[in-house]
């Protein structure tokens, strides 16, 4: 039962009913109203607008509520040792990290083809790939046998899984990840696709524009506060911020019964890091899902926070959870500092720590000159902010329709 009123029916020590005032958000300790015990057939919850709470307050409120619920269950025979409560809470609180691990596992399970296409020469990796071939051949042979031994199947599939995990460990070593990143850069830049560093802001803007447009899928409209793009740079970082659909988000709080995984929204992370995998339709910009991959041309470790999902990229192909709290706090602070409304709690930032030989101006100069035209032809973004060491510039496109004809605007 969810209570939206400022008063909640309660009982005094004599059993008399009276309306008790509900605590204000500032004084709230849990989401529950009244007492939780074995005699309750209904648990009453306080309706809360989480957008009115900062992130830390909301997390603490949910944690204290979780403890109260677990303690109530304890009276009915459940164990609520402190370690168990913390472990269970940590597992519930790590769903976004699991998304990163799932994407990492998927990419590793297909890494045999990717690493070979990149022409990786590392002898350890090449030896692992040969062994992988041998195990897969044995598995194919097992499938053709009329009398199959399940033990052999389990052993071979486990061997293949172990090989892919060991390749993941090799990719993450400093020496190997630089070799793989160099191969990724060659494929993106001078090789197959021909991208240049100056393409990066345009590609990220196009992806952001698509993400803002995709918010219509959830609610049918896009708020003006979301039609906003920020480019920031200083001597050692280049960052992009937007408020479009967060990475991997395939449902909304407003329409919880509707899932849009059929549009591939739940596989964004895999597509961002794989080659030639994209669900972009005719109304979306970009080719082969390559937009994000251009960032690897100028940085060794992209840092991304999108909604609650956070990750970095190792070697240009492997997503890893961001575990450094100071980095997460910095990314979150940057998003909150630029948002146009306190209600927007799901922004995305792509932060690129730059290598010494790259200069921000060379990367962003063309974008800065053309940003005004990009706003005119964008599908959803209507405002752009450029933040540098020397100036802050804001650009707007505020058009009027011509004779109320859809798609024809003047501004």
């Amino acid at each position: 039962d969810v209570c939206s009123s400022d008063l909640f029916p309660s009982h005094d020590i004599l059993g008399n009913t009276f309306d008790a005032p509900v605590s204000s958000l500032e004084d709230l300790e849990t989401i529950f109203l009244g007492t939780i015990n074995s005699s309750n057939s209904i648990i009453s919850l306080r309706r809360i607008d989480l957008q009115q709470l900062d992130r830390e307050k909301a997390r603490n409120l949910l944690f204290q509520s979780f403890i109260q619920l677990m303690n109530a269950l304890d009276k009915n025979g459940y164990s609520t040792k402190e370690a168990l409560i913390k472990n269970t809470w940590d597992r519930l609180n790590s769903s976004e990290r699991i998304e990163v691990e799932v994407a990492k596992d998927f990419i590793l399970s297909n890494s045999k083809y990717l690493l070979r296409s990149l022409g990786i020469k590392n002898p350890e990796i090449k030896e692992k790939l040969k062994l992988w071939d041998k195990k897969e051949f044995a598995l194919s042979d097992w499938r053709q046998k009329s009398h199959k031994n399940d033990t052999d199947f389990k052993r071979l599939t486990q061997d293949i899984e172990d090989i892919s995990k060991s390749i993941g460990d090799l990719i993450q070593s400093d020496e190997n990840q630089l070799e793989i990143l160099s191969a990724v850069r060659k494929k993106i830049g001078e090789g197959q696709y021909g991208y240049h560093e100056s393409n990066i802001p345009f590609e990220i803007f196009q992806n952001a524009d698509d993400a803002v447009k995709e918010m219509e899928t959830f609610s049918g409209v896009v708020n003006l506060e979301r039609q906003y793009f920020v480019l920031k740079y200083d001597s050692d970082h280049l960052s992009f911020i937007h408020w479009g659909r967060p990475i991997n988000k395939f449902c909304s709080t407003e329409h919880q019964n509707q899932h849009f995984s059929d549009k591939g929204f739940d596989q964004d992370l895999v597509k961002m890091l794989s080659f030639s995998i994209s669900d972009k339709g005719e109304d979306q910009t970009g080719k082969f899902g390559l937009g994000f991959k251009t960032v690897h041309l100028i940085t060794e470790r992209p840092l991304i926070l999108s909604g609650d999902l956070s990750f970095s990229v190792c070697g240009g192909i492997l997503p890893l959870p961001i575990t450094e709290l100071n980095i997460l706090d910095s990314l979150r602070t940057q998003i909150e500092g630029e948002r146009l409304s306190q209600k927007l709690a799901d922004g995305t930032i792509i932060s690129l720590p730059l290598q010494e030989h790259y200069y921000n101006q060379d990367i962003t100069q063309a974008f800065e000159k053309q940003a005004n035209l990009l706003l005119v032809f964008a599908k959803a973004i209507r405002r752009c902010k450029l933040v540098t060491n020397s100036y802050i510039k804001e650009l707007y496109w505020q058009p009027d329709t011509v004779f109320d004809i859809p798609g024809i605007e003047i501004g």
Side-chain angles (χ1 to χ4, degrees):
D1 181 37
V2 179
C3 176
S4 303
S5 172
D6 292 331
L7 298 174
F8 177 71
S10 302
H11 296 86
D12 60 23
I13 58 174
L14 300 177
N16 300 315
T17 302
F18 69 100
D19 289 331
V22 175
S23 301
S24 65
L25 279 179
E26 293 75 17
D27 300 326
L28 210 59
E29 296 181 355
T30 74
I31 63 174
F32 301 116
L33 292 171
T35 305
I36 305 175
N37 54 48
S38 58
S39 64
N40 293 133
S41 58
I42 297 176
I43 296 177
S44 296
L45 305 177
R46 161 76 184 269
R47 184 179 294 279
I48 300 170
D49 183 0
L50 290 178
Q51 294 175 343
Q52 297 182 30
L53 299 175
D54 63 46
R55 189 182 187 86
E56 194 57 37
K57 172 72 174 176
R59 285 188 182 275
N60 186 62
L61 179 63
L62 291 174
F63 182 54
Q64 295 302 322
S65 302
F66 180 71
I67 290 177
Q68 183 177 347
L69 179 61
M70 293 293 283
N71 284 332
L73 293 175
D74 180 60
K75 297 174 183 177
N76 293 301
Y78 290 86
S79 171
T80 55
K81 293 180 181 178
E82 183 176 349
L84 176 61
I85 291 179
K86 188 176 187 307
N87 180 59
T88 305
W89 174 255
D90 288 344
R91 289 175 61 190
L92 291 172
N93 205 30
S94 64
S95 59
E96 291 78 22
R97 181 177 180 130
I98 292 173
E99 287 186 58
V100 178
E101 295 292 348
V102 168
K104 175 185 173 184
D105 182 69
F106 180 87
I107 291 170
L108 285 175
S109 68
N110 292 277
S111 61
K112 179 173 69 169
Y113 312 102
L114 175 58
L115 293 171
R116 282 180 171 150
S117 73
L118 292 173
I120 301 304
K121 306 297 184 185
N122 179 274
E124 287 184 274
I125 292 179
K126 291 180 71 175
E127 191 61 35
K128 292 291 183 182
L129 295 179
K130 288 181 181 179
L131 182 58
W132 194 338
D133 285 338
K134 182 178 179 180
K135 296 296 182 180
E136 284 203 339
F137 183 84
L139 189 57
S140 296
D141 182 61
W142 176 88
R143 291 192 180 101
Q144 301 306 315
K145 293 179 179 179
S146 56
H147 301 288
K148 296 179 174 64
N149 186 324
D150 289 342
T151 301
D152 290 341
F153 174 79
K154 292 178 181 179
R155 175 179 55 80
L156 288 169
T157 53
Q158 184 62 54
D159 287 347
I160 292 172
E161 183 177 342
D162 292 342
I163 292 169
S164 70
K165 287 181 178 178
S166 64
I167 288 176
D169 293 336
L170 289 171
I171 290 173
Q172 293 176 65
S173 72
D174 292 340
E175 179 183 352
N176 292 335
Q177 66 178 278
L178 288 176
E179 179 190 353
I180 295 168
L181 179 59
S182 296
V184 168
R185 286 174 173 171
K186 185 176 181 180
K187 188 178 183 74
I188 295 170
E190 62 193 66
Q192 183 174 352
Y193 298 108
Y195 280 100
H196 185 267
E197 290 88 349
S198 61
N199 296 126
I200 295 171
F202 293 95
E203 293 297 323
I204 301 302
F205 179 87
Q206 289 171 358
N207 286 349
D209 193 36
D210 287 336
V212 174
K213 184 69 175 176
E214 286 166 351
M215 291 302 291
E216 289 185 8
T217 305
F218 295 149
S219 59
V221 295
V222 178
N223 297 330
L224 288 175
E225 293 90 349
R226 290 190 178 276
Q227 299 175 307
Y228 182 43
F229 181 79
V230 179
L231 182 154
K232 301 175 63 176
Y233 69 76
D234 53 33
S235 58
D236 55 5
H237 276 80
L238 173 62
S239 298
F240 307 93
I241 308 174
H242 70 82
W243 286 265
R245 181 180 65 82
I247 296 169
N248 273 22
K249 183 174 181 179
F250 61 92
C251 62
S252 69
T253 54
E254 293 86 1
H255 304 88
Q256 296 183 18
N257 60 330
Q258 290 182 293
H259 285 197
F260 298 95
S261 55
D262 60 320
K263 295 181 178 293
F265 288 173
D266 59 332
Q267 298 175 24
D268 291 332
L269 184 49
V270 168
K271 293 172 207 164
M272 289 169 65
L273 302 177
S274 302
F275 286 88
S276 300
I277 299 179
S278 175
D279 281 336
K280 285 199 172 186
E282 293 181 357
D283 62 336
Q284 293 174 301
T285 319
K287 60 177 182 178
F288 309 119
L290 277 172
F292 173 79
K293 299 177 187 65
T294 58
V295 304
H296 301 307
L297 293 172
I298 61 171
T299 188
E300 292 183 359
R301 189 196 179 199
L303 303 168
I304 297 91
L305 174 62
S306 185
D308 289 324
L309 185 70
S310 62
F311 61 95
S312 62
V313 184
C314 173
I317 61 173
L318 207 60
L320 300 175
I322 298 177
T323 57
E324 303 94 328
L325 295 180
N326 62 316
I327 292 178
L328 289 173
D329 288 341
S330 174
L331 296 175
R332 193 168 290 116
T333 298
Q334 290 183 68
I335 294 175
E336 292 174 352
E338 296 295 342
R339 63 185 177 182
L340 298 178
S341 170
Q342 296 295 316
K343 294 182 179 181
L344 298 180
D346 56 357
T348 293
I349 180 170
I350 298 172
S351 180
L352 311 178
L354 297 177
Q355 294 177 250
E356 293 181 2
H357 59 284
Y358 287 107
Y359 297 94
N360 280 313
Q361 191 169 6
D362 296 335
I363 300 169
T364 63
Q365 189 173 37
F367 180 86
E368 292 177 55
K369 290 181 179 179
Q370 300 178 46
N372 53 348
L373 288 177
L374 289 175
L375 293 178
V376 175
F377 292 102
K379 297 184 294 293
I381 292 177
R382 293 291 179 263
R383 180 173 177 178
C384 180
K385 183 178 181 181
L386 305 173
V387 182
T388 75
N389 285 332
S390 55
Y391 71 86
I392 297 176
K393 182 189 295 184
E394 293 204 44
L395 305 170
Y396 303 83
W397 172 242
Q398 298 173 314
D400 295 316
T401 58
V402 178
F403 301 121
D404 294 324
I405 301 174
I408 301 180
E409 299 175 330
I410 187 171

